[in-house]
Each structure stands twice: as C-alpha cells, then as structure tokens.
C-alpha cells in the first residue's frame, strides 16, 4: 500500500482545518476540472470514533466546505459530492491510518496471506500498529495489499 501525504492533495491543507473545526476529519479530497463544471468529491469521518454520522453532519460540512473550495478554485461552476466513510470504507492511501487512530480496521497482510484486524494504535509514514486481542502488531505498508475501516 502506498503512503501519500494528505497534505500533498490539491487544496487539502486549506480545507482540512475547516473540516476539523466542525468536528470531523477530511479523509479524501478529489477535484476534477471539466469543460464547464469542476467536480469535487470529499470524504469525511467524525473525530470521535464513537459518533455515528448522518445526513445532517454531511450537510453541515458541505455548506462550509463548498464556498471555501469555490473561492480557492475561483469559480462557482462546481458540483460537490460529500460522503462519510461508510460502514466498510476501503482504505486506499496509507496516510488514512493516522486519521483512523482508535478505530477498528482490517488489513490483508501479504507476509501471512491473511486478514489481520485490530484497533489502530499509531501510524507513521512506514507502518501501522494495531492493538489485537493477542498483543500489538506492527504492519509495514509494503506488506498491506488491502485495508478496510470497520464501523462498529
């Protein structure tokens, strides 16, 4: 699995503090310019792992984030889809593990060719440490083939 710093995503550094101020983390941000309309896709998750998200949460972030992005893009010709991580969010970027600290995840560890699950204790640019029933396990991103956030 590849680690790509979230700070390198276009406009992420300008938008993440706004989202965090509302009580959420910005998990992903994609901006795709089109001929007439720029398409924006954003994924958020609550800061508190015990909180369940609803439509009102997404709407609150949407109302704050869209004007910020339109100002940064210099256009109001945009559409924006904002969603939560959902029940079993596929983790595509290893940088997301830091956001999911304190939450349950499953990773396919190629070194043992099996799924390993546990609570994320810590994550850095090289590996994630999971708290498991039989102790803690450090898994390098190089050995992770797939990963999923598990909603409890």
């Amino acid at each position: 699995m590849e680690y790509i710093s979230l700070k390198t995503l276009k406009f992420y550094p300008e938008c993440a503090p706004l989202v965090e101020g509302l009580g959420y983390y910005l998990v992903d941000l994609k901006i795709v310019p089109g001929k007439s309309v720029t398409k924006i896709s954003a994924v958020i998750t609550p800061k508190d792992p015990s909180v369940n998200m609803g439509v009102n949460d997404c709407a609150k972030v949407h109302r704050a984030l869209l004007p910020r992005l339109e100002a940064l893009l210099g256009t109001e010709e945009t559409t924006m889809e904002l969603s939560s991580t959902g029940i079993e969010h596929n983790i595509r970027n290893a940088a997301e593990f830091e956001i999911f600290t304190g939450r349950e995840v499953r990773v396919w560890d190629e070194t043992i060719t099996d799924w390993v699950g546990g609570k994320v204790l810590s994550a850095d640019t090289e590996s994630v440490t999971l708290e498991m029933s039989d102790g803690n396990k450090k898994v390098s991103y190089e050995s992770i083939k797939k990963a999923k956030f598990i909603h409890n």
Side-chain angles (χ1 to χ4, degrees), residues 32-145:
V32 180
K35 285 185 178 182
S36 59
V37 176
T38 299
K39 295 180 181 179
I40 303 165
S41 172
V43 178
I44 61 171
T45 194
K47 283 183 174 181
D48 182 350
S50 67
V51 171
N52 290 320
M53 287 198 55
V55 173
N56 291 337
D57 298 294
C58 288
K60 178 170 75 171
V61 175
H62 189 282
R63 282 191 300 274
L65 188 56
L66 182 58
R68 168 73 55 92
L69 284 165
E70 288 176 338
L72 291 167
L73 292 165
T75 181
E76 291 182 6
E77 299 299 321
T78 60
T79 63
M80 183 167 140
E81 178 183 314
L82 189 132
S83 62
S84 70
T85 50
I87 294 175
E88 285 199 15
H89 170 72
N90 290 321
I91 298 171
R92 293 179 182 87
N93 178 359
E96 292 180 35
F97 284 110
E98 186 177 348
I99 290 172
F100 294 129
T101 299
R103 300 169 197 245
E104 297 287 327
V105 298
R106 288 188 317 151
V107 300
W108 180 266
D109 185 346
E110 288 186 320
T111 62
I112 60 170
T113 62
D114 200 2
W115 287 99
V116 176
K119 186 185 292 187
V120 176
L121 289 178
S122 64
D124 57 28
T125 60
E126 303 293 322
S127 63
V128 59
T129 302
L130 303 176
E131 177 184 28
M132 301 169 51
S133 59
D134 58 347
N136 298 344
K137 179 173 177 68
K138 189 173 189 173
V139 184
S140 76
Y141 298 140
E142 288 179 355
S143 65
I144 297 175
K145 181 75 173 172

